[in-house]
Amino acid sequence: MESAVLPYLFYLFAFVIIVSALLVVLLRNIFHCALMLILCLFAVAGLYVLLQADFVAAVQVLLYVGAVAVLMIFAIMLTSRVFGVDLKQQNEQVPLALIVSIVFVAAAFYGLGKTVWDIKDASVPADSTMSLGKLLMTTYVMPFEIVSVVLLAALIGAIVIARRN
Amino acid sequence: MQISLTHYLALAAVLFAIGFFGVLTRRNAIGILMAIELMFNAVNINFVAFNRFITPIEFTGQIFAIFTVVIAAAEATVGLAIVLLIYRNFRDIFVDNINLMKW
């Protein structure tokens, strides 16, 4: 990819992410929020492609957009009363939450301005997916197995919790 | 014009703060779960950006990002199951009305 286009792509994705994330948090209709969440997740996947993380981008689209977002929409559909747009969607903590969030961003930006990172010049190898697979099967095989068990436990737990008895 | 690591980290910080704001202010339990997904994504952007700029050969950041995605999926599954159960019992998913365990 031409490096001249990359900065513009970054700013495009960043703009889409920020705006759609704000809409997720602020819109009154929860179904529209879910659609904005999907847009935000897609833009994050685009950011991963810019960062040369092809496999993570694919996982993002498959797992987040394909599974988690659809799960959210299912849950919205199953819990009715969601289209009552007249219902109040935000509690009385808005001013306090706004202050806390702004303080967090200010502190993070202050820290970012102070920190000097140990940047490596090497670029990510082109066959990143193959290297990732090898790493998951050698160095990181133990966490890989543990996370599989965690996922299985979550699956069984969700079925047990949601089952009608 | 070059996009540096700091650009990505700043974007992730803003996204995290937006998600945090959503968690604190939403009344709808599903809205809270969606805001938590935003926070997960902010963390993942950090991981992948660190991978690109600091450990490009070792892939540490991408491995972490994949594990985070798996944990986020597990969290969403269990969270939504709990929300459905609460809805079935209370006919309500607004968290300020569900105060059974509040002292």
Side-chain angles (χ1 to χ4, degrees):
Chain A
M1 203 181 292
E2 290 100 89
S3 55
V5 196
L6 283 179
Y8 300 108
L9 277 178
F10 171 80
Y11 284 115
L12 175 72
F13 284 135
F15 178 75
V16 173
I17 288 172
I18 300 289
V19 170
S20 58
L22 278 175
L23 289 176
V24 169
V25 171
L26 296 176
L27 278 183
R28 295 179 71 90
N29 188 330
I30 195 78
F31 188 74
H32 292 170
C33 293
L35 297 181
M36 283 300 136
L37 181 70
I38 292 177
L39 180 63
C40 183
L41 298 175
F42 257 121
V44 173
L47 214 58
Y48 293 160
V49 174
L50 284 189
L51 286 165
Q52 303 171 8
D54 313 0
F55 182 69
V56 182
V59 165
Q60 170 87 5
V61 173
L62 277 177
L63 255 165
Y64 266 113
V65 183
V68 174
V70 173
L71 206 65
M72 294 281 175
I73 290 177
F74 259 104
I76 291 169
M77 295 294 187
L78 287 172
T79 57
S80 56
R81 282 177 57 187
V82 287
F83 294 111
V85 185
D86 50 321
L87 288 172
K88 198 158 80 77
Q89 288 289 346
Q90 285 180 323
N91 59 18
E92 64 285 348
Q93 298 184 57
V94 174
L96 206 60
L98 201 61
I99 292 170
V100 173
S101 302
I102 289 172
V103 167
F104 172 79
V105 170
F109 276 27
Y110 178 75
L112 279 178
K114 288 263 175 188
T115 316
V116 179
W117 301 102
D118 180 22
I119 302 283
K120 302 280 195 327
D121 281 336
S123 63
V124 179
D127 55 344
S128 66
T129 309
M130 198 172 80
S131 315
L132 267 179
K134 276 182 184 160
L135 277 175
L136 279 177
M137 281 296 127
T138 51
T139 319
Y140 298 100
V141 66
M142 194 64 197
F144 181 73
E145 296 296 334
I146 291 173
V147 90
S148 311
V149 175
V150 168
L151 201 57
L152 182 68
L155 204 72
I156 297 171
I159 292 171
V160 169
I161 290 171
R163 188 183 52 184
R164 249 176 246 278
N165 42 3
Chain B
M1 191 165 60
Q2 193 70 36
I3 299 300
S4 67
L5 176 59
T6 311
H7 286 79
Y8 287 99
L9 298 185
L11 171 65
V14 173
L15 185 59
F16 190 90
I18 293 173
F20 190 55
F21 177 80
V23 170
L24 288 181
T25 57
R26 275 279 172 200
R27 290 178 69 220
N28 192 323
I30 298 176
I32 293 177
L33 283 174
M34 289 200 280
I36 290 175
E37 296 301 328
L38 289 182
M39 292 165 78
F40 270 121
N41 270 280
V43 174
N44 256 351
I45 291 174
N46 269 3
F47 275 137
V48 178
F50 278 131
N51 180 80
R52 166 74 182 80
F53 289 101
I54 294 184
T55 60
I57 309 294
E58 300 92 326
F59 284 108
T60 323
Q62 290 196 28
I63 299 267
F64 262 99
I66 290 168
F67 286 141
T68 316
V69 170
V70 175
I71 297 301
E75 175 264 345
T77 324
V78 176
L80 289 173
I82 292 173
V83 168
L84 287 186
L85 188 69
I86 289 173
Y87 179 73
R88 205 182 293 148
N89 288 333
F90 291 88
R91 294 281 136 196
D92 198 355
I93 48 169
F94 286 149
V95 286
D96 42 3
N97 297 339
I98 306 161
N99 49 9
L100 196 65
M101 288 170 72
K102 220 176 193 173
W103 192 48

